[in-house]
Each structure stands twice: as C-alpha cells, then as structure tokens.
Amino acid sequence: MKYFLIAGEASGDLHASRLMEEIQRRDPQADFRYFGGDKMQSVGGTLLRHYRTLAYMGFYPVLRHLPDILRGRRECRRAIADFRPEAVILIDYPGFNLDFIAPWVKRKLPQTKVVYYISPKIWAWKSYRLSKIKRYVDLMLSILPFEVDWYHERGYEVNYVGNPTVDELTAVKSRPFDRDAFCEQYELNANQDIIAILPGSRKTEIAYNLPVMIEGCCGFPGHQLVVAGAPSMTMDDYKSILDNHRVVPPVKVVFNDQYSLLRASSVAAVTSGTATLETAYLEVPQVVCYALKGGKLFYRFMKWALRHIRYVSLVNLLLNREAVRELLGPDFTIDNLRSEVFRLLENSRDARRMREDYAEMIRLLGPAGAPERAAVAVLKLIASPS
C-alpha cells in the first residue's frame, strides 16, 4: 500500500521514522513518500522535501519565507494527487498539516484516509481547530494520556497509543553509558560536571533562548556548558552567538548525540517542548525556558491565549502540578535562570524530589510500544470499509 507522510520538524521526523518501520514490518510492500527528514529517509521511500525548508516559526520569519512556504504547500498537494495514497499520515505541524493539507485531501481524494499521529496541542490554544479535526481527520493517534478525556468531553474519540519517547528512551537507558568516553569523544573535561543547554530546534528559538541560557548557566565552579545542536542546524548557526558570549571554559556544541549529553549532565536548561520530556525520562534535573519577543504586552496576550492550561512544559502538564520550574517570557532572565540552576546543583533534596516526580510521570505515560500500536491502528483503518 501507499503512504504519504508529512513531518515538519526534527522530533516529527524521528517519530515518523519509527512509525514507518513498524508499518513496513506489517506491510513489506509499503511505498512511502514524504515531506520529512533524514531519519525518515533512512527507513526508505522517497523524500520529496526536507522539513528544514518549511520549519519557520514566528511572524517575521514566516513572512520572509512565505513564497517558499506557499510553494511547498502546492508541491505537497500535487505530490499527494499524483501518488494517490491509501493513507496520508500527518505528524503534528498543524499550521501546515491541519489547516492546508487535511481539508484538501478530504475534498480531492475522499477515498484516502487521513491519519493524525501526535495531536496538535489544541487543548492549549486554538481549540477552534477541533472542528477541522472532526471534519477532516479519520483517525487521531494521541501520545499524551490526558488528551483522551479532553477530546471525549468534546465529542471526538481518539486512540491513545502511548508516547514514542518512551520507546526511544527505554532503548537508550538499556544501553551502558561511559561518561569518560563521551567526554573524550567531544574533548570535554571529564573531571568537571556538565550543564546541558537545549535551546530548541528552530533558528528563531535558538537565537532567542541560547544567549540567556549561556549567561544564566555559566560561571559555576567545576562545571562546563555543552549545547545540544539541533539536527537541522550546523555549527555556523551557533557560532555568532557563542562568539558574543565567550565564557571559560568555552561552550561546546554536540550534534546528533543529545541523549548521551543528557546522560552525562548534572543539570539541564531546556527549551519547552519534547526535550523536557526526554530530559525527565533520562532523570536529569531541569529548568524549562522559553523566550518570548514582543515585550510584556505580548506576554500578557499569550497568557490570555493559554488561559485554559496551568503549565507549558510536558512534565508539569502530565503531572498537573509544578514539578519543574518554568521560566517563560519576562520571567526568563539571566538572574532567574542562574538562581534555579544553583538551587538544583546545591540542593540535593530538590533534585531528588524532581527525580521522584519524573518516576510518576513515566508511570503515567505507560509502557513502550507506541509506534507498533500506531501502525496497527493505521492498517486497521485502511482495511476497514469506507
């Protein structure tokens, strides 16, 4: 059978690749075409466009790249029409997938099933998108357990398949880890503790978050700073920021090895997103950060827009309480970040309590097997009568 997938960022690329592998096991003749990334390409099929050419965030970056975004949208629709797949599988990325692709597929190819893997966070804001999901999505595969009740209360049933992060990190934690070898590989000082900095996966996130993260995390005796480089970025994307914020010892950037970096670290400053869940699963005490440009007025607007939720980080959302400190908008300052990092480094009781909260979060997420359960649900949908 034929499957068309669309992932708009690094985490979506990873989750889609795992789903493709599981579909392939059950459907050896599976023919994949996709807008995605390197991990999806490593599974097979045909990569039509890399997500880095479409993954823009914020008003001005989107406006500046609007011609390319519109061209990508047209290319995607044309590719789906030519391919005529049994299923179009959308991975998060709602501005592209839900607003432009799903409605078009249901109008032009009514026999094609539309599957959404990883629900857009409409429970946080833009809940009006639920009407589009009800009209245009045949199967919603959720990876956060509280989404099941949220959708059910609003008359739409979703399938909770588990969280793919559990699969990825269960495998990581099962492998032995040699911190000294990691330090040697990246020319780090094995005698110093590491503070990991995860500034995000998009250029705008990195540009806004990384300078404050560096200044807030530097200067702790016996500690070195290491940045997790995003898969879609190169050293050039970080160099100008690092050159403007020279610290001793120099900040290193590690690419394509974020999990090892976290396993080697004592504390992490993490941009809100999937990385907060990964950091928790690897039991690293963390401070969640997110810069918002636009001043206090814009921050107040965002708080109003997100008024239906108490927290932003996935750890706190899953536990429904503040297990990790969130520094957002005007609260994300050098002094506040430094204070939180100091607390986690110096107060072992606070760090231990955070790890206990992590253990409860892991229990709530359930066992591994999300990609497998998702693949079974996709194939069952395709096989069912229209």
Side-chain angles (χ1 to χ4, degrees), residues 20 65 187 310:
M20 290 165 63
H65 296 279
E187 299 180 345
R310 296 172 61 192

Side-chain angles (χ1 to χ4, degrees), residues 284-295:
V284 184
Q286 65 180 299
V287 185
V288 176
C289 311
Y290 206 88
L292 284 173
K293 296 301 177 182

